[in-house]
Amino acid sequence: IVFTLPIAYGNRLQAVPGVEAVTWANWFGGRYGDGKRFFATFAIDPKSYLDLYPEMVIPADQKDAFIRERTAALVGERLMEVFGWKLGQNVTLQGTIFPGDWTFTIRGVYHPTDPAIGDDVFMFHHDFLEERLNRPGIAGWYIMRIDRPDAAATIAKTIDDQFRNSSYPTKT
């Protein structure tokens, strides 16, 4: 999470036999208001991330609005309730890892069908993070869908072997 990897790894990961889909994210570390209520904040690639998480149910019009708008946010329903936020509202987070005030417009609210997903995450466009930082091409972590769970160890070894002697080795 704290040691970034190149975004360019995504294409190479996608080419590994057994890997069906790839996405990436970055931990943002934002806080809201007095900062007493912790919640996870991720910069994501909207289309690929949401494709890998069908457990996040989002009304189609909200999903489209989130994907279209560079400064849009997608927020879990519990987080909406905790802060009393509304769809279409501007919300400003204070960056802790990436300093400054970051304002987003809530364009989508998700409901997880699997409790492991959690309903109190704040997500926004990875492109916006890169643009604002003027630091393109970084991923905090990758998420992959593989064709067979029993192939996970072999796929992980293939990935780690591919990047072992690079400037940015992986630990899959």
Side-chain angles (χ1 to χ4, degrees), residues 10 23 42 120 160:
T23 193
F42 302 148
D120 62 347
D160 291 342

Side-chain angles (χ1 to χ4, degrees), residues 86-149:
K86 304 288 183 222
L87 193 64
Q89 178 178 344
N90 287 339
V91 172
T92 301
L93 302 182
Q94 294 79 43
T96 56
I97 296 170
F98 306 105
D101 288 342
W102 297 67
T103 301
F104 305 95
T105 304
I106 299 172
R107 294 294 182 211
V109 180
Y110 74 88
H111 167 80
T113 59
D114 180 340
I117 298 296
D119 57 359
D120 62 347
V121 178
F122 188 104
M123 292 168 272
F124 65 93
H125 286 235
H126 190 272
D127 287 346
F128 181 62
L129 175 71
E130 289 185 328
E131 175 185 292
R132 175 108 181 249
L133 296 176
N134 195 25
R135 194 172 141 204
I138 59 168
W141 67 90
Y142 283 93
I143 303 142
M144 291 168 274
R145 181 175 55 233
I146 60 175
D147 59 357
R148 295 182 358 258

